[in-house]
Amino acid sequence: MLRAIVRSFAMGLFIAIAASHSSIAGADPGARAKGAIASQQELQRRIIQLEQQNRTLEIQNRAIQDQLNTQKQEIEGLVRQMQATAQPVAALQQQVPQIQQQLSDVKSDVAKKGGSIPLEVGFRAGWSESPYGMPGGFYYGAFLNHRLLTHEDGVPGGFVAGEMLVGWTQGNHALTKANLVSQLGNPAFNTWMYTLSLQPTVQYHLQPELIGLKSMEAFKPYVLAGPAMYINLLSTPIVVKNGNPGAGYRHYDADVQGGGVFGAGFEWGLSSLKVEQIQGLLDKSFVGAEWRYNQYGNGEGYNQYTGSVSFGW
């Protein structure tokens, strides 16, 4: 195309020179010859110049075309990369519901395993009767509770835990003659009984969500049974008249008894309370209530009623 332009321009220039030449046709022949030669030389010089410019433009055009092709290839490569990146993102978006379901399943599995808390340390306090007809009193104790078997191990509807409880019953006073001082002719004296108990028990905890009661998953009722050992301390006054050294001292008769214990209660997980500031603590905290019957080997027995608070990890 540039060459055609150059040729057209040269043709026009030639026509112009020819016209100029005809206009001076009447001039001297020698002058006309010199003018024609000069015009032809100028025409050739202009043609050569235009051809050089044309070649330069062609070289530049090829360079620009090569650059455009390179940029086009780069753009196509970037488009392919973007498409390759977009495909995993789209796949992940499609997998989001599945991932959410998997997280829900994991939470459900955690709940089935007892809230993912296999070990608890807690405290019990409440009211306890005393054996041998003595008045009861305040009871307090500490326990360690460890999960032994879960639903996945074949336990139907819940899990089995082992517990070690150490408790103390602070018995009340009773005016009685069932002591040596009164039997020697003195009036009735105030007497009381303290009881130390050690109770390793096995507990079955029901998990309501496993039997279709999802709304009650924080509530876990349980039953318990196990052996027990009891140490009873009965206070009586020393056989010394008032005013003598040691007259106010109390003597304790100790009675060690073996036996057993059974009972029932419930535990409530505080994770059901939604308090963002302390949710991490609530997820590992439990409260509960319990009844136990203590049976001695010699036939004595008594009830105790307690509440509990525990923390797990």
Side-chain angles (χ1 to χ4, degrees):
M1 179 178 181
L2 290 175
R3 290 180 179 177
I5 294 174
V6 170
R7 292 191 184 95
S8 298
F9 178 79
M11 184 62 69
L13 182 61
F14 179 78
I15 294 172
I17 293 173
S20 174
H21 177 71
S22 62
S23 63
I24 57 173
D28 183 64
R32 289 199 304 271
K34 291 180 179 180
I37 293 171
S39 298
Q40 185 177 7
Q41 291 176 346
E42 178 65 19
L43 179 61
Q44 290 176 349
R45 185 184 67 81
R46 293 294 304 273
I47 291 173
I48 293 171
Q49 183 179 6
L50 290 175
E51 287 180 346
Q52 290 176 348
Q53 292 178 353
N54 184 29
R55 286 193 295 270
T56 301
L57 290 175
E58 286 181 350
I59 293 172
Q60 292 177 350
N61 183 37
R62 284 195 295 270
I64 292 173
Q65 188 64 38
D66 292 341
Q67 185 176 3
L68 288 175
N69 292 333
T70 301
Q71 291 180 349
K72 181 180 179 181
Q73 293 176 357
E74 290 179 355
I75 292 173
E76 290 176 350
L78 292 174
V79 170
R80 287 192 296 270
Q81 291 180 5
M82 184 179 66
Q83 292 175 347
T85 304
Q87 289 177 355
V89 172
L92 287 175
Q93 290 176 343
Q94 295 176 354
Q95 293 176 0
V96 166
Q98 181 180 358
I99 294 173
Q100 291 176 340
Q101 182 61 42
Q102 290 176 349
L103 289 175
S104 177
D105 293 341
V106 169
K107 291 180 179 179
S108 178
D109 291 341
V110 166
K112 292 178 181 179
K113 292 180 179 179
S116 74
I117 299 179
L119 188 66
E120 291 180 41
V121 173
F123 306 93
R124 296 193 182 281
W127 174 263
S128 176
E129 298 175 349
S130 291
Y132 302 104
M134 293 296 292
F138 182 70
Y139 173 89
Y140 52 93
F143 67 90
L144 178 67
N145 196 326
H146 187 266
R147 191 176 65 235
L148 301 177
L149 298 171
T150 67
H151 181 68
E152 285 71 20
D153 297 317
V155 179
F159 63 92
V160 174
E163 177 202 53
M164 172 57 76
L165 171 66
V166 178
W168 178 261
T169 302
Q170 191 84 22
N172 284 317
H173 296 254
L175 191 63
T176 179
K177 290 186 177 183
N179 55 73
L180 180 59
V181 175
S182 298
Q183 294 302 313
L184 293 176
N186 292 295
F189 278 86
N190 274 326
T191 301
W192 57 86
M193 178 177 286
Y194 300 148
T195 302
L196 174 67
S197 59
L198 291 86
Q199 301 176 349
T201 65
V202 176
Q203 303 176 349
Y204 169 77
H205 292 249
L206 176 67
Q207 294 179 273
E209 68 274 17
L210 295 179
I211 59 174
L213 302 176
K214 181 68 175 177
S215 61
M216 298 183 64
E217 62 182 346
F219 176 75
K220 292 181 175 57
Y222 63 88
V223 293
L224 64 92
M229 184 178 72
Y230 305 92
I231 301 175
N232 303 293
L233 301 175
L234 180 67
S235 72
T236 58
I238 289 292
V239 186
V240 176
K241 293 182 180 291
N242 289 337
N244 294 299
Y249 178 76
R250 307 286 298 192
H251 172 72
Y252 285 91
D253 291 321
D255 176 24
V256 180
Q257 289 287 334
V261 61
F262 59 88
F266 71 86
E267 186 179 71
W268 189 281
L270 297 184
S271 59
S272 58
L273 302 177
K274 303 302 180 183
V275 183
E276 182 178 356
Q277 294 78 359
I278 57 172
Q279 193 62 45
L281 177 62
L282 294 177
D283 290 342
K284 300 178 180 180
S285 301
F286 307 86
V287 295
E290 184 185 88
W291 160 79
R292 295 191 184 210
Y293 185 78
N294 300 274
Q295 179 66 56
Y296 286 16
N298 63 3
E300 293 292 330
Y302 63 93
N303 296 284
Q304 68 184 45
Y305 310 90
T306 60
S308 66
V309 58
S310 61
F311 307 93
W313 64 87

